[in-house]
């Protein structure tokens, strides 16, 4: 006898799009605030504040955005796990996401709080932006590939 478990998230057609809206809002908050600090590291705007000040001001918002993403994402995933984990784009997104979060709270955090703005800071900012753009592309393309 196979136990049929129905996912309450699939009980109404409105739940998935609502969750996806929350997922997109969380992505705007998390990746948006990360990008602002990366642009500051690149010297592209907000130069009236040090990188350390910008990073410290935005850190709580980044964390809130990531909590929203790490909650809404698995819920979206649970609506049809087989469709997602068998999709190489989803697997790539998860690998990039893990790398992006580790990089964000290690090398990039140290660089942003050091207040330095030389070549190394610019390289760190470019790596950060590339990783998060990869996560976002993974999120968008996983529905099409
Ligand atoms: C900061 C981390 C994350 C970012 C920036 C991100 C970004 C995105 C983006 C841009 C979309 C496309 C939304 C759309 O086209 O409407 C998406 C969809 C999705 N994401 Fe994420 N995501 C993140 C974390 C996660 C996590 C942790 C999971 C699961 C464990 C996940 C699972 C999904 C699923 C299942 C979809 C729906 C795809 C579909 O339309 O069928 N995401 N994500």
């Amino acid at each position: 006898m196979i136990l049929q478990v129905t996912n309450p998230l699939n009980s109404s057609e409105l739940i998935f799009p609502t969750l996806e809206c929350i997922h997109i809002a969380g992505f705007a908050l998390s990746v948006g605030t990360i990008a602002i600090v990366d642009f500051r590291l690149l010297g592209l705007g907000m130069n009236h504040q040090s990188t350390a000040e910008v990073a410290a001001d935005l850190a709580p918002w980044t964390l809130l955005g990531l909590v929203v993403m790490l909650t809404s994402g698995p819920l979206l995933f649970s609506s049809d796990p087989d469709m997602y984990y068998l999709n190489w784009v989803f697997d790539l997104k998860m690998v990039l996401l893990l790398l992006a979060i580790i990089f964000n709270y290690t090398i990039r955090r140290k660089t942003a709080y050091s207040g330095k703005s030389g070549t190394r800071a610019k390289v760190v900012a470019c790596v950060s932006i590339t990783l998060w753009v990869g996560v976002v592309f993974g999120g968008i393309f996983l529905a099409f590939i």
Side-chain angles (χ1 to χ4, degrees), residues 20-96:
E20 200 145 28
C21 290
I22 294 169
H23 202 59
I24 293 170
F27 140 48
L29 189 58
S30 56
V31 180
T33 51
I34 288 169
I36 292 172
V37 177
D38 289 339
F39 289 151
R40 178 62 192 83
L41 281 168
L42 290 167
L44 300 173
M46 304 195 72
N47 294 320
H48 57 283
Q49 278 187 288
S50 71
T51 53
E53 286 168 335
V54 176
D57 288 350
L58 294 177
W61 297 104
T62 301
L63 189 59
L64 176 62
L66 288 176
V67 167
V68 171
M69 298 312 280
L70 298 174
T71 313
S72 59
L75 289 174
L76 286 168
F77 174 83
S78 75
S79 66
D80 193 346
D82 294 346
M83 182 177 81
Y84 292 119
Y85 82 82
L86 293 171
N87 182 330
W88 66 269
V89 178
F90 179 80
D91 303 336
L92 178 65
K93 176 186 173 184
M94 291 301 110
V95 170
L96 289 173

Side-chain angles (χ1 to χ4, degrees), residues 34-35 38 100 103-104 108 123-133:
I34 288 169
D38 289 339
F103 188 74
N104 191 65
R108 183 180 166 281
V123 170
V124 166
C126 290
V127 171
S128 173
I129 291 169
T130 307
L131 284 170
W132 287 108
V133 166

